[in-house]
Structures are given as structure tokens and as C-alpha cells.
Amino acid sequence: MGGSLKQKLFKSRLTKIDYFIIVLAAIFFPLAIVLAAIRVLVTQRHNSCKGRNNRLFGWVLVLTFGVMEFLIMIGTMDDNDVDGLISSTIVLGIVILIPAIIMFVIANREDKKFSSLLQVYSNAIIRKRLVHIGQIAQDARVTPAHAARDITFMFEERMLPYGKIDNGMVSIPSLLNKSESPTQGEFVSRSGQRVQYTLGNDAAESVNFERTETQVGSVPKSVECPGCGARTVVTQLEKKECEYCGTMIVA
């Protein structure tokens, strides 16, 4: 019914604060590591920040490795201790550089994971027309709190049409004005039963028809007029005059 909005591959970006911490790592890496850890603890609950946090820590570790390697080279320059320099480099590479590489790999994986999640949100809102945060969260298999934060991020980054979250509901004015917005109606089937239908609600590619639950005594029936043969819809035990010949019809 509704077209899905194809999301571009998400790539987390470092902010000015992140660049400051990275530059600080080249000057005084212990403080940079502490600041990076604090930033991770504060923002890690946001799915949009997980890739960036791992990338930030990776760069801090790379610069820490560079600074420590430089200091070791200066310390061994007078002694010409090449073997000691090589041994120190290997140890630092194992302790610092390898974890940094792992951080970069995790960052890319988190970005791809969040990209997939963004596509799920987009399909749930644009294609399936879900508006309740709880329903969207269930569709994405995340908590409502995570869904609310992620969708707010999508609004801020203009990944969705202009809208907002109000009282646990996603409100996008432009979608409400489309002709394919949810429409409800009722018709009488050939068997004489009244059927309610909903168009463009939660259906993805098909139209779901829901039959109303009525009491047995009030189910409408299509009855043939004994006078002229025309068919008229009447409920059980109801008397109705034929609109063509005036004969009384009883279900």
C-alpha cells in the first residue's frame, strides 16, 4: 500500500568534542582516555552513538600507542637498545594497537546494525503506518525507550518527513494528508452480511477485510421477494416491504 523509504547506509560522525579528545590524546593521553570513557558512559545508551564511541576510543588508543612509542624511542636512543625497542613495540602493539583495531571493526558493525534498525523504523512508520511507539518498538524488537530515542534522531537528521513524537505517538502531518492514509468503511457482501474493512492501516501489500462479530439473531440475510423475485437484505425475524412491488418480506 505505502511505499517504503530507502535509508542510506548510516555512518556515525565524530563531533567537535570527539576531535578535541583525540587531539588531547597526542598531548596528554591519560586524560584523553578518561574523557573518552566518560563520553562513552554518558552516550552509549543511544544506538546512534555506539559506532562513534568505538571509533573515538580506537583513535585515542592509536594516538596513545604513537605517543608511548615515541617516548620509548627517545628513552632507548642513548643506549642503542634496538632489541628493547622492538620488544616494547610488540608489547604495546598487543596491548594497545590490537584493541584499537578491534574498536574500529566494532564501530563499523554497530553502524551497519543501526542502519538496518533505521530501515525497520522507516518501514514501520512509512509503509505499515504504525504510529504507537510500543507497536514500532515491538516491530523493531527493541524497547520503547530505544525506539523513541532512535526515531527522534531520525527526525533531527531528516531521515523521516517532518514530524514529532507526542504522547507516545509518531505524528507526521504529511502522511496524514496522503490518499493512502488509513480509511475505514463498510459494505454488504453478496451473502447479505455486513463487512467492515480498513485500508492502509497496518497491511503491507494486501487489504485485510474484517467481518463484524454480531449476534446470531441480527445477522442480515438476502431474501428473494415472493412477489417480484427481487432480492432484499433483511435481518432475521424482520418484516420489510419490497421496494419494487410492495410485498411484505419476512426473513
Side-chain angles (χ1 to χ4, degrees):
M1 297 297 296
S4 62
L5 185 65
K6 185 65 176 178
Q7 293 289 338
K8 294 181 180 179
L9 185 63
F10 175 77
K11 178 74 173 180
S12 58
R13 299 185 300 269
L14 297 175
T15 65
K16 293 181 180 180
I17 296 177
D18 301 321
Y19 284 118
F20 170 76
I21 295 175
I22 291 173
V23 172
L24 183 62
I27 302 172
F28 188 58
F29 64 85
L31 179 59
I33 293 176
V34 173
L35 292 178
I38 293 175
R39 183 155 175 77
V40 169
L41 291 175
V42 172
T43 61
Q44 190 67 10
R45 62 194 180 97
H46 296 273
N47 289 324
S48 59
C49 297
K50 291 181 179 180
R52 183 202 67 192
N53 289 340
N54 282 280
R55 194 167 286 111
L56 168 63
F57 235 111
W59 280 115
V60 170
L61 291 178
V62 167
L63 287 179
T64 299
F65 171 82
V67 171
M68 293 186 68
E69 183 68 12
F70 177 73
L71 294 176
I72 292 174
M73 288 177 63
I74 293 177
T76 58
M77 189 177 296
D78 296 335
D79 300 334
N80 293 324
D81 187 6
V82 179
D83 293 336
L85 178 60
I86 295 175
S87 299
S88 300
T89 301
I90 294 174
V91 172
L92 286 177
I94 295 174
V95 176
I96 299 178
L97 203 55
I98 291 180
I101 295 174
I102 294 175
M103 289 288 184
F104 289 131
V105 173
I106 295 176
N108 290 330
R109 188 184 66 180
E110 290 292 345
D111 283 349
K112 290 180 180 179
K113 182 179 177 181
F114 189 52
S115 291
S116 300
L117 193 57
L118 292 177
Q119 188 62 57
V120 173
Y121 290 137
S122 178
N123 289 338
I125 296 171
I126 304 296
R127 183 165 167 260
K128 298 181 179 180
R129 294 291 194 268
L130 300 181
V131 295
H132 294 275
I133 289 296
Q135 292 178 333
I136 299 173
Q138 185 176 7
D139 192 65
R141 297 182 181 179
V142 296
T143 64
H146 273 105
R149 284 194 292 264
D150 295 341
I151 295 172
T152 300
F153 172 81
M154 294 179 74
F155 282 135
E156 293 173 350
E157 296 296 321
R158 297 183 179 179
M159 296 178 179
L160 288 172
Y162 174 78
K164 62 180 180 179
I165 297 177
D166 187 17
N167 294 325
M169 304 274 289
V170 175
S171 176
I172 301 179
S174 60
L175 293 183
L176 298 178
N177 296 330
K178 289 188 176 181
S179 60
E180 57 184 22
S181 59
T183 304
Q184 293 183 344
E186 183 180 84
F187 68 93
V188 178
S189 66
R190 290 184 178 181
S191 62
Q193 294 181 318
R194 296 184 180 275
V195 179
Q196 288 184 343
Y197 64 89
T198 302
L199 300 178
N201 190 11
D202 293 340
E205 300 295 340
S206 62
V207 179
N208 293 327
F209 294 98
E210 297 183 358
R211 301 175 66 173
T212 57
E213 295 182 0
T214 57
Q215 296 180 352
V216 178
S218 60
V219 175
K221 295 182 179 180
S222 179
V223 180
E224 183 177 327
C225 175
C228 64
R231 302 195 71 86
T232 304
V233 177
V234 294
T235 57
Q236 193 172 9
L237 302 180
E238 177 190 12
K239 293 182 180 180
K240 190 174 183 180
E241 184 177 330
C242 177
E243 57 183 315
Y244 296 102
C245 66
T247 303
M248 295 301 297
I249 302 173
V250 181

